[in-house]
Amino acid sequence: MPMSTLVNYSGDDDFYPGGSFYTNPMDSGLLVSIGSCMDVYCPPRKRSRITAPYIFRENNLELEKQPSIDVLPDECLFEILRRLPGGQERSSCARVSKRWLMLLSSIRRTEICPRKSSQSLNESSKLDKELTIPVPDDIEMISAEDRELGSDGYLTRCLEGKKATDISLAAIAVGTSSRGGLGKLSIRESSSSRGVTNLGLSKIAHGCPSLRVLSLWNVSAVGDEGLFEIANGCHMLEKLDLCQCPLISDKGLIAIAKNCPNLTALTIESCANIGNESLQTIGRLCPKLQSISIKDCPLVGDQGVAGLLSSVTSILSKVKLQSLNITDFSLAVVGHYGKAITSLILSGLQNVSEKGFWVMGNAMGLQTLISLTITSCRGITDVSLEAMGKGCPNLKQMCLRKCCFVSDNGLIAFAKAAGSLEGLQLEECNRVTQLGVIGSLSNCGSKLKSLSLVKCMGIKDIAVGTPMLSPCHSLRSLSIRNCPGFGSASLAMVGKLCPQLHHVDLSGLDGMTDAGLLPLLESCEAGLAKVNLSGCLNLTDEVVLAMARLHGETLELLNLDGCRKITDASLVAIADNCLLLNDLDLSKCAITDSGIAALSCGAKLNLQILSVSGCSKVSNKSMPSLCKLGKTLLGLNLQHCNKISSSSVELLMESLWRCDILF
């Protein structure tokens, strides 16, 4: 047909000039516009399951199809996603978009369609073999067993700061389901504006029924609704830690109590809306609860503590009560009903008087108590301390901090009453003097192994006689730190009373001299293994020489940090006598390159940790000696050694590749 005839053709065929040619207006939808003067007729065809627009651009006849699955509503997409065959497929789909991720994370474990039967799997596998392109051998395939939903709860996840968001929790919920299951989740310092909310916890509840441990620290946007979701979805929960969660109240905690019967540990700190009602419910509905810690919760009072402890099925073994508005009544309940308690911590209980502690001891219910720590409680006096010593016959560890009303008489009476005591620690108990310490050691019985004194300012160094005092042969560890009044006379008396010491820590005793320490070294019959003399500014080489001579065969650790009168002579003695020494700290001592050289000549010395930090007289000349010592070293501290160059340290690092060097 000639071109002119084709152009002038006006018959009833497929091409029409602009304008409608349908008698039925509904058929106009079959037209697709091409520019402003031409239309294309698309004949009717079977309607697709999912339709999406086709667009012809004016300047380009290229056909463009928009993503069609986004047209689906959430309900339809939900049904598709819950039919995915395995965890790998769900994880892959979660990467498509946030919408898909949030939908996948909202699918509960029970809503996932079960796998096909073995017969249908065999049939489908035959069909797959016919239709599937062969996979190269170097591509790792996922077996059906690997796709199984893991629910054992092996995995741990921790989100902090900006990383703690609802999106992150949704990803965790989807990603961990096929990899062993999420067992422990910790969320800390979540942002109040874009951080974790109740929605995020709901995703965890839906996808992680294996969750056993949940910690929420400073998560201000999570409230009771989030705990409702956890309670309904995570029935295996065993440990719950809530800190600074202002929107969580009794309602959320009650939901946990009703739905999580396996709860064994509960920690609540600075939660202003949690009070007595939830604690009473916990005590009634959580028979497996073994550990409870409550701190700085103003609504918690005597009724809540009583509800926790007075339950017939209570097996609470660890109890911590700190900065609460409780009275003597609560401690009386602890004394009467705490028959299973082995560890008890009481701190900052300003409303508890001497009577409360006295009743707790005389109730005789704490027969299994092993460890007791009391801090900043005005009710601890000489009378109440003695009562607790008598009422806790199996008490082994006792720690008193900032108990300003405990004096020498109370300490000695307690030492006599607590026949099973193995460890005694006193911190900032300023009414205790030298006589109290000596009297406790003499009257503690035959089981005391450890004595620790920290910042006890009431101790004064007075030379007094010690007639009729029984020695404490059981004491193995003596720690006297930052007690400025504890001097040479006091230490000499302690040394005579404790001949079997293995560990001695006298750090911070700047008034200590050779005259006080030498008697202790000479009286230790068993041989010292660990000695910390850091901050003892007045000690000289004479002490180290005596220590190396008397205890060289047993000494394993020696800390001389800040002993500025220690010189190279001490290193010569250490190299010759201390065969078992593996940790030596010489920071800020007056040693030189000669001392390091002498130390490296120790034929049987096997140092693993060495610190010469701040030794201004140690220079590059010590590099060969340090290299020789490095055959056994695992850690070397060269910080603040100004005469050692960076290039020398770099060469040393290359040589001592096994050693961790600080510079």
Side-chain angles (χ1 to χ4, degrees), residues 572-610:
V572 174
I574 290 173
D576 292 340
N577 298 281
C578 301
L579 307 181
L580 299 179
L581 189 66
N582 57 63
D583 191 334
L584 177 61
D585 193 339
L586 301 169
S587 302
K588 298 186 285 293
C589 291
I591 60 173
T592 67
D593 295 329
S594 300
I596 300 296
L599 194 64
S600 66
C601 292
K604 297 182 180 180
L605 192 63
N606 291 298
L607 278 179
Q608 295 182 0
I609 306 295
L610 174 63

Side-chain angles (χ1 to χ4, degrees), residues 376-411:
S376 300
C377 292
R378 299 178 180 178
I380 285 293
T381 63
D382 293 344
V383 174
S384 58
L385 185 61
E386 182 181 6
M388 286 188 293
K390 294 178 179 179
C392 306
N394 293 301
L395 186 65
K396 294 182 179 180
Q397 303 293 330
M398 180 63 170
C399 178
L400 297 175
R401 295 191 180 101
K402 298 181 180 181
C403 295
C404 56
F405 295 114
V406 173
S407 68
D408 294 340
N409 293 333
L411 188 60

Side-chain angles (χ1 to χ4, degrees), residues 224 248-255 273-279:
D224 293 331
I248 295 179
S249 68
D250 284 333
K251 295 179 181 179
L253 207 52
I254 289 174
N273 290 313
I274 292 179
N276 295 327
E277 184 181 0
S278 59
L279 295 182

Side-chain angles (χ1 to χ4, degrees), residues 245-390:
C245 299
L247 298 183
I248 295 179
S249 68
D250 284 333
K251 295 179 181 179
L253 207 52
I254 289 174
I256 294 291
K258 291 181 177 179
N259 294 278
C260 303
N262 293 325
L263 194 68
T264 60
L266 176 63
T267 299
I268 308 170
E269 180 177 344
S270 302
C271 295
N273 290 313
I274 292 179
N276 295 327
E277 184 181 0
S278 59
L279 295 182
Q280 290 173 330
T281 307
I282 290 285
R284 188 172 64 255
L285 299 180
C286 298
K288 297 182 180 181
L289 190 67
Q290 299 177 14
S291 175
I292 182 72
S293 176
I294 310 173
K295 176 182 177 182
D296 194 22
C297 295
L299 296 183
V300 173
D302 292 332
Q303 294 180 349
V305 175
L308 278 171
L309 291 167
S310 61
S311 174
V312 177
T313 59
S314 176
I315 57 171
L316 273 174
S317 59
K318 296 181 179 180
V319 177
K320 179 180 179 180
L321 305 175
Q322 182 174 353
S323 301
L324 301 178
N325 295 322
I326 59 176
T327 66
D328 296 342
F329 178 78
S330 290
L331 263 64
V333 171
V334 172
H336 280 283
Y337 295 100
K339 297 180 180 179
I341 296 178
T342 59
S343 175
L344 178 60
I345 299 176
L346 305 173
S347 177
L349 305 181
Q350 301 302 321
N351 295 327
V352 178
S353 67
E354 178 186 72
K355 180 180 178 181
F357 285 97
W358 184 87
V359 171
M360 185 178 73
N362 282 287
M364 303 302 291
L366 299 175
Q367 297 293 307
T368 61
L369 186 64
I370 295 175
S371 175
L372 176 60
T373 299
I374 302 174
T375 304
S376 300
C377 292
R378 299 178 180 178
I380 285 293
T381 63
D382 293 344
V383 174
S384 58
L385 185 61
E386 182 181 6
M388 286 188 293
K390 294 178 179 179

Side-chain angles (χ1 to χ4, degrees), residues 88-125:
Q88 186 184 25
E89 289 79 4
R90 282 188 291 275
S91 296
S92 298
C93 289
R95 300 187 185 101
V96 173
S97 66
K98 288 184 180 180
R99 180 192 176 202
W100 283 38
L101 172 61
M102 300 307 283
L103 279 174
L104 278 164
S105 62
S106 66
I107 301 174
R108 296 181 183 273
R109 187 66 61 90
T110 56
E111 294 172 337
I112 297 176
C113 290
R115 298 180 60 206
K116 297 179 181 179
S117 63
S118 58
Q119 180 178 358
S120 60
L121 280 174
N122 292 332
E123 294 176 356
S124 62
S125 63

